[in-house]
C-alpha cells in the first residue's frame, strides 16, 4: 500500500481565520503538513494545536512581520528550506482599518496601505520566487471585492487590496507555463474577528464558506473566484455605473 505524501501548506498570516479554515479544508482531502508564520508566537501555537486536533500533523510555526520588509526573504527561505518546499502557499496577511477614509487617523491609513499592499506585495514576490525555483505550487492570495471598485468609506483598504489584486493577476500571467499558479480570492464581507463590530454587508459570508470555495477552485485550477460567487455578477454591473450614481449607493 502506497501512502501519499502530505500536502505542504505555508500560511502567511498564521492566525488568519480564513487562512486556517483553508488549511483545515485541505485536510479533509488528505494529510496536510502546515507551517504558520506570523507575529504572535502564542497565538500561532494555539492555531497550530487547533489544526493538529483537526488532523494535520508535522506542523511548525515561525516569525513573520508584514512591515519588516527586510526580513521577508529570510523568513520564507527558512520555511521553504526546512520543509523542502510547499505545494500551497496562502497569503492571508491583512489589517482592516481607516474605514472613516479622510476622517481616519493618517497613521492608521498608512498602516493599512503598508500592510495590505507593500507588505503583502513583498511577501507575494518572495513566495512566487521560491515557488518558481521549485517549478510547482499554487499561491492563494486573499483579496477582496473592495479591490474591484473601492467605496468612499473603504477607499484606503479598497485601494490597497486593488494594488495587491492587480499585482497578483499580472504576475500570474507572467508565470503561465512555469508550473506555478496564482489563485486570487475576492471575498465579500466575511464574519471574523477582524470585522467584529462592523455592520455586515449584503451577502456576508463565513471563513468556512470561503475555504470551501477556495479548495474547490484549487481542484479545478481556477485563477480568480468570488465568494459568494454571485458577487461576480453584482460587480459586473457596479463597476460600470457612473460615479455620480455609484457614490450614492448604500454600500
Amino acid at each position: 500500500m502506497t501512502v501519499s505524501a502530505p500536502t505542504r501548506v505555508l500560511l502567511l498570516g498564521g492566525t488568519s481565520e480564513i487562512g486556517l479554515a483553508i488549511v483545515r479544508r485541505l485536510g479533509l482531502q488528505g494529510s496536510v503538513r502546515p507551517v504558520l508564520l506570523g507575529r504572535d508566537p502564542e497565538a500561532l501555537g494555539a492555531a497550530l494545536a487547533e489544526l493538529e486536533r483537526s488532523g494535520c500533523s508535522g506542523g511548525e510555526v515561525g516569525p513573520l512581520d508584514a512591515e519588516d520588509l527586510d526580513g521577508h526573504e529570510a523568513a520564507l527561505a527558512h520555511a521553504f528550506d526546512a520543509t523542502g518546499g510547499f505545494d500551497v502557499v496562502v497569503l492571508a496577511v491583512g489589517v482592516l482599518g481607516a474605514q472613516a477614509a479622510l476622517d481616519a487617523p493618517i497613521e492608521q491609513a498608512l498602516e493599512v496601505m503598508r500592510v495590505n499592499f507593500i507588505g503583502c506585495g513583498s511577501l507575494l514576490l518572495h513566495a512566487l520566487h521560491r515557488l518558481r525555483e521549485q517549478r510547482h505550487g499554487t499561491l492563494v492570495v486573499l483579496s477582496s471585492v473592495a479591490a474591484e471598485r473601492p467605496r468612499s468609506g473603504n477607499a484606503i483598504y479598497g485601494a490597497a487590496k486593488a494594488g495587491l489584486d492587480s499585482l497578483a493577476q499580472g504576475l500570474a500571467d507572467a508565470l503561465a507555463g512555469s508550473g506555478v499558479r496564482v489563485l486570487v480570492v475576492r471575498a465579500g464581507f466575511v464574519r471574523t474577528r477582524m470585522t467584529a463590530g462592523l455592520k455586515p454587508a449584503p451577502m456576508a459570508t463565513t471563513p468556512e464558506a470561503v475555504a470551501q470555495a477556495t479548495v474547490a477552485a484549487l481542484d479545478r485550477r481556477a485563477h480568480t473566484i468570488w465568494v459568494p460567487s454571485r458577487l461576480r455578477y453584482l460587480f459586473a454591473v457596479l463597476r460600470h455605473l457612473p460615479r455620480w450614481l455609484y457614490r450614492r449607493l448604500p454600500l
Side-chain angles (χ1 to χ4, degrees):
M1 178 179 178
T2 301
V3 179
S4 61
T7 300
R8 298 162 299 174
V9 181
L10 174 62
L11 177 55
L12 305 175
T15 58
S16 161
E17 290 172 81
I18 300 174
L20 291 168
I22 292 172
V23 177
R24 287 194 301 272
R25 190 77 190 182
L26 286 168
L28 295 179
Q29 297 185 332
S31 61
V32 168
R33 180 183 178 186
V35 175
L36 314 180
L37 302 187
R39 292 186 301 176
D40 187 336
E42 184 175 348
L44 288 171
L48 181 59
E50 177 190 347
L51 290 177
E52 290 174 341
R53 287 192 293 271
S54 70
C56 297
S57 61
E60 299 178 27
V61 301
L64 180 70
D65 186 338
E67 296 189 76
D68 178 19
L69 304 182
D70 291 338
H72 289 175
E73 183 177 8
L76 267 69
H78 176 77
F80 270 80
D81 293 344
T83 310
F86 291 98
D87 304 296
V88 179
V89 178
V90 181
L91 178 53
V93 172
V95 295
L96 181 65
Q99 294 295 293
L102 279 175
D103 293 326
I106 291 292
E107 184 50 44
Q108 185 182 101
L110 293 177
E111 180 191 16
V112 170
M113 291 188 285
R114 283 196 306 267
V115 172
N116 292 353
F117 180 52
I118 300 298
C120 283
S122 170
L123 292 170
L124 184 150
L125 288 166
H126 286 297
L128 287 179
H129 277 295
R130 295 297 305 214
L131 291 173
R132 187 173 63 176
E133 287 177 5
Q134 67 179 29
R135 298 183 179 181
H136 71 89
T138 301
L139 175 63
V140 177
V141 179
L142 296 188
S143 181
S144 168
V145 296
E148 183 66 22
R149 188 170 185 179
R151 297 177 287 108
S152 59
N154 75 343
I156 310 299
Y157 178 81
K161 282 293 190 180
L164 178 65
D165 190 295
S166 179
L167 179 63
Q169 297 280 357
L171 293 178
D173 290 340
L175 287 165
S178 69
V180 177
R181 295 192 298 127
V182 178
L183 170 61
V184 175
V185 179
R186 293 174 178 167
F189 187 101
V190 185
R191 297 185 184 92
T192 64
R193 290 187 302 270
M194 190 170 75
T195 59
L198 297 178
K199 181 181 178 181
M203 292 181 269
T205 188
T206 65
E208 290 72 26
V210 177
Q212 181 178 1
T214 299
V215 173
L218 287 173
D219 290 341
R220 66 175 187 271
R221 302 184 67 81
H223 59 78
T224 308
I225 61 169
W226 300 68
V227 187
S229 60
R230 58 188 181 275
L231 284 172
R232 176 194 298 270
Y233 307 106
L234 174 62
F235 274 85
V237 174
L238 292 178
R239 78 165 67 99
H240 295 297
L241 287 182
R243 289 183 67 180
W244 66 266
L245 178 57
Y246 182 75
R247 64 173 172 257
R248 293 182 181 182
L249 297 178
L251 297 175

